[in-house]
Structures are given as structure tokens and as C-alpha cells.
Amino acid sequence: MDYRIKDIDRVIRNAIDVMEDSKYQIFEICESARKELGALGQELEQVYKETAETIDKVDRLELDFRRARIRLTEVSRDFVRYKEEDIKSAYEKATQIQLDLMVFREKEAYLKARRDDLQQRVKSVDLSIERAETISSQVNVVLEYLSGDLNQITRILESAKNRQVIGLKIILAQEEERKRISREIHDGPAQSLANLVLRTEIAERMLIKQEFRLVQDELIDLKSQVRMGLEEIRKIIFNLRPMALDDLGLVPTLRKYVQDFEEKAKIRTTFDTIGREIRLPSAMEAAIYRLVQEAFTNALKHASPSFVSLEITYQVQMVKIVIQDNGSGFHVDLVEARAHDNSSFGLIGMRERVELLEGRMEIESAINEGTKITIHIPINAEVGKE
């Protein structure tokens, strides 16, 4: 057994070294992209300015050209009042203005194409930065796990009956979460931003035509859309990891979640705590929050309850979580068997998370008699003394 522990230790150390090196490389890529984004932003601002000036110049030249043509027609028709020199001068002036107009129209077209290209590059670089930051965050999480107690990791691996299955399910859960986040961003903020770009271009055309009243209405609507987009982004950020979890702790965050759940789902809920609340390790608080969130979501999706309750009991070396609903219920053995067969990450995912925390989970349910989930998670006594 010792040689297996040493092998695991060596593999993990090598993985940590590789990931540390990768983390710095990602950081350098991210910094380089930020510099490029800054340079592109400055260039785009200059192009915006030149485009506006060129559009104004084209408008003035078009007006001058119309006047020059009228003048040329007037001089050409009246041979009594105007001499040949006047006709020649009017013709040369009209021709010069026409040439200038052609040049500035070409410049306007070039600047608009350049503007569109820069906007696309800014979006692409911004997306690259976002992806790099996401990967960096994921690497940090993995490093945090790998840098923990190696003996504990060894015990988890030794107690697992099927390591490959657990690993695949963890990967599946990560991929599902990434798909969900991608879908939320695509359907929410990404669509809003695309619409904002289109509406901004409309407002820009209105400004050129000096339709100031319409521009004002458009800006009011744009401000409303920006606020809605910001609210969607805040919801996505909160779902990724509620900031209140770090700032306020587990109980206030869960209390807020339960209140929001009641308002959104129109299901009566209660939340009670027993014992003296203590701060737990950050990873443990996050895991408990996800367990409660999963239990409430499962009840909403599958049980159609009219009441859901949450009770947390703080003991000396144990945290007890009880989630209960009065929904349709189910046959526990049958559902867990199907969950294993279908690789579901519902109840089996909750049970595996609890086991990773060295806890245990009990499920009591029957048809038309609701469901009760009881979770016991041991805590280090030293944590409560901090």
C-alpha cells in the first residue's frame, strides 16, 4: 500500500508542477490580450472620431456639389451675363468638388469597414480574455484540490468502488455546468449586447440626420436594455458562486436562496437553524449550498410540492441538514437504480458529493407521502474554535 501512496503522491506532485506552469502561461496570455484590447480600444476610438469627421465632410461636400452644379447650369445658360471664363471657373470648381467628394466617400467606406473590423476584433479579444480567466479559475480550483491533504485523497480513492465511473461523472457534471453557463450567456447577455450594437448604429444614423427627439427615445430604451442585461449577468454570477457565501456565511446565503425560491416558484418554504452557527471551510460551505440547491431544484422539477422546508443543526463535530417536502414522493430504491443506469447527476450526484465530504445521506420517501433528505457532514472540531 505504501508504494501506491508514493506513486499517487508523485503523480499529483507532477500534475501540480505542470498546472502551476500552465497557470503562469495563461496569465501571460491574458495580460497580452489585455494590452492588445487596450490598443484596439484606442484605435477604435480614433476611427470613430475620424469616421464622424469624414461623414460631416461628405455631407458638406454633397451640399457644395449640389450648389456648384446649380451654379454651373446657371452660368452655362446665360451667355449674356457670364463670360467664357466664368463658365470655365464654375466647371473647374464643380469638378474639383466632385473629385473631393469621391475621395471622401471612399475614405468613409474604408473607415466604416475598419470600424466594423476593429469592433469584431475587440469582441474576439474580449472573449479570449474571458476564456483565459475562466480556465485560470478552473486551474486554481484544481490546484487547491491537488494541494490538499494527499492522505485524504488516497483514502477517497481507496474507498471508491469504481474510480473511473466517479471520474467520468465529475467530468460530465462539469461539462453540463459549462453548457448551462454557455446557454445562459448566449440566450441572455450575448443577445442583449448584439441588439445594443444594432440599436447604437440606428442612433448613430439618427444623429447624422439630426433627429434628436428619436435619438433621445432610443437612448432611453438602450439604457433600459443595458440595465436588464446587467441584471442577467448578475444572476449568472450569483449562480456560479453567491458572493454572500464568502462575505456573510452559509446561513444568510441559504436564507436568501430560500426566500428567492419561494418568490420564484410560488411554493411556501421555511428555514430553521438549531445550535450555534459557526463558519465552515469555504469549500464545505459551497458544497452544502449546492446540496440544498440541488434538493430544492429536484423537488420543484419532479415532486410538485406546495411546501418545502430546510433545517440545519450545528453540533460539536457534525452539521445536520434536513430538506423535506410534501410532494408526490417516489420509490427510493427504484429511482436510485435508474439514476445509476442513466448516469443521472441528481440524487446520485448529491450522494457522491456527501461522500467526498466523508458524510452520509439518507432518503425517506413514498408515493404521495413527500420526501425527506437527511445529510450528516462531519466538521473538524478546530474549525469551530476559529
Side-chain angles (χ1 to χ4, degrees):
M1 187 61 66
D2 290 340
Y3 77 89
R4 292 179 62 190
I5 294 175
K6 289 180 180 178
D7 288 341
I8 293 173
D9 190 1
R10 177 176 54 79
V11 170
I12 292 177
R13 294 296 178 193
N14 290 338
I16 290 174
D17 292 339
V18 172
M19 298 193 76
E20 284 285 358
D21 183 56
S22 300
K23 183 175 72 173
Y24 288 117
Q25 291 182 20
I26 294 169
F27 174 78
E28 290 175 357
I29 292 171
C30 198
E31 286 301 304
S32 176
R34 284 196 181 95
K35 290 180 181 177
E36 183 181 357
L37 183 62
L40 287 173
Q42 291 178 357
E43 186 177 354
L44 183 58
E45 185 177 352
Q46 182 63 32
V47 169
Y48 276 137
K49 182 179 178 182
E50 289 184 21
T51 302
E53 292 173 352
T54 304
I55 290 172
D56 289 341
K57 182 67 174 177
V58 168
D59 290 342
R60 289 196 300 270
L61 285 172
E62 286 178 343
L63 182 60
D64 292 343
F65 183 58
R66 284 197 295 271
R67 290 173 178 170
R69 289 180 62 186
I70 293 171
R71 173 66 176 169
L72 180 60
T73 302
E74 180 184 322
V75 171
S76 300
R77 288 177 178 175
D78 195 343
F79 293 100
V80 177
R81 293 178 55 191
Y82 300 103
K83 301 178 181 179
E84 185 177 348
E85 293 178 358
D86 296 326
I87 298 173
K88 182 179 179 183
S89 175
Y91 176 78
E92 290 177 350
K93 184 177 181 180
T95 303
Q96 184 59 48
I97 293 174
Q98 185 179 28
L99 289 174
D100 292 342
L101 182 59
M102 291 174 61
V103 169
F104 276 93
R105 278 177 176 168
E106 287 293 328
K107 184 177 180 181
E108 179 185 353
Y110 166 77
L111 287 172
K112 285 183 176 180
R114 181 62 178 162
R115 178 197 61 189
D116 294 341
D117 178 61
L118 286 172
Q119 287 175 338
Q120 190 62 37
R121 288 176 61 188
V122 166
K123 290 179 184 178
S124 177
V125 174
D126 199 24
L127 182 60
S128 297
I129 293 173
E130 182 181 347
R131 288 174 177 170
E133 288 175 345
T134 302
I135 295 171
S136 178
S137 176
Q138 292 171 348
V139 169
N140 285 331
V141 171
V142 175
L143 281 172
E144 184 178 340
Y145 278 114
L146 293 179
S147 301
D149 187 354
L150 297 182
N151 290 326
Q152 183 179 1
I153 295 175
T154 303
R155 287 196 301 271
I156 293 171
L157 292 174
E158 290 172 351
S159 63
K161 294 180 180 179
N162 194 331
R163 303 175 190 177
Q164 185 179 16
V165 171
I166 291 178
L168 289 174
K169 286 178 179 176
I170 291 173
I171 293 171
L172 177 63
Q174 291 173 338
E175 290 302 317
E176 289 298 323
E177 183 68 8
R178 288 171 184 166
K179 287 179 183 177
R180 183 188 66 80
I181 295 169
S182 175
R183 186 167 55 251
E184 285 186 2
I185 293 175
H186 178 270
D187 294 342
Q191 296 290 343
S192 298
L193 289 174
N195 188 43
L196 284 175
V197 171
L198 179 62
R199 300 292 290 275
T200 304
E201 291 180 352
I202 293 172
E204 183 183 3
R205 295 193 190 102
M206 290 178 179
L207 277 174
I208 294 171
K209 296 179 180 178
Q210 297 186 352
E211 298 174 350
F212 298 113
R213 180 60 187 172
L214 294 176
V215 171
Q216 184 179 8
D217 294 339
E218 192 72 22
L219 289 176
I220 291 172
D221 192 26
L222 280 173
K223 183 166 66 174
S224 174
Q225 289 193 32
V226 169
R227 285 175 177 168
M228 290 173 61
L230 183 60
E231 184 178 347
E232 289 178 353
I233 291 171
R234 283 173 175 166
K235 286 180 181 178
I236 293 172
I237 292 172
F238 182 83
N239 288 332
L240 287 175
R241 180 175 176 86
M243 288 179 286
L245 202 59
D246 296 320
D247 298 334
L248 303 178
L250 179 63
V251 170
T253 306
L254 282 176
R255 196 175 303 281
K256 178 67 166 59
Y257 171 76
V258 170
Q259 290 173 354
D260 292 344
F261 178 87
E262 184 176 58
E263 292 176 3
K264 182 178 180 180
K266 307 301 180 185
I267 297 174
R268 189 168 66 89
T269 60
T270 61
F271 177 31
D272 298 311
T273 59
I274 301 172
R276 185 175 65 87
E277 178 191 351
I278 57 175
R279 289 304 302 264
L280 304 173
S282 176
M284 185 178 291
E285 288 188 340
I288 293 174
Y289 178 85
R290 294 304 181 196
L291 287 168
V292 172
Q293 190 180 43
E294 183 72 24
F296 271 60
T297 302
N298 286 341
L300 177 63
K301 285 183 178 180
H302 307 297
S304 302
S306 61
F307 173 73
V308 183
S309 67
L310 170 64
E311 180 183 276
I312 296 182
T313 303
Y314 286 92
Q315 301 173 358
V316 178
Q317 294 185 339
M318 184 79 65
V319 175
K320 179 183 175 184
I321 304 109
V322 179
I323 304 105
Q324 192 166 1
D325 69 68
N326 64 349
S328 57
F330 56 90
H331 293 297
V332 177
D333 294 339
L334 181 60
V335 169
E336 288 200 333
R338 288 177 178 174
H340 280 284
D341 294 340
N342 299 329
S343 300
S344 170
F345 213 80
L347 291 176
I348 190 172
M350 291 176 62
R351 192 179 294 282
E352 287 173 356
R353 285 184 180 183
V354 172
E355 289 174 356
L356 286 174
L357 295 172
E358 298 185 356
R360 69 181 190 275
M361 184 174 80
E362 301 164 0
I363 304 174
E364 302 173 38
S365 185
I367 300 297
N368 298 324
E369 293 186 13
T371 301
K372 180 180 180 181
I373 300 175
T374 305
I375 301 170
H376 296 84
I377 297 176
I379 58 175
N380 192 330
E382 295 179 358
V383 174
K385 295 176 183 179
E386 291 180 357

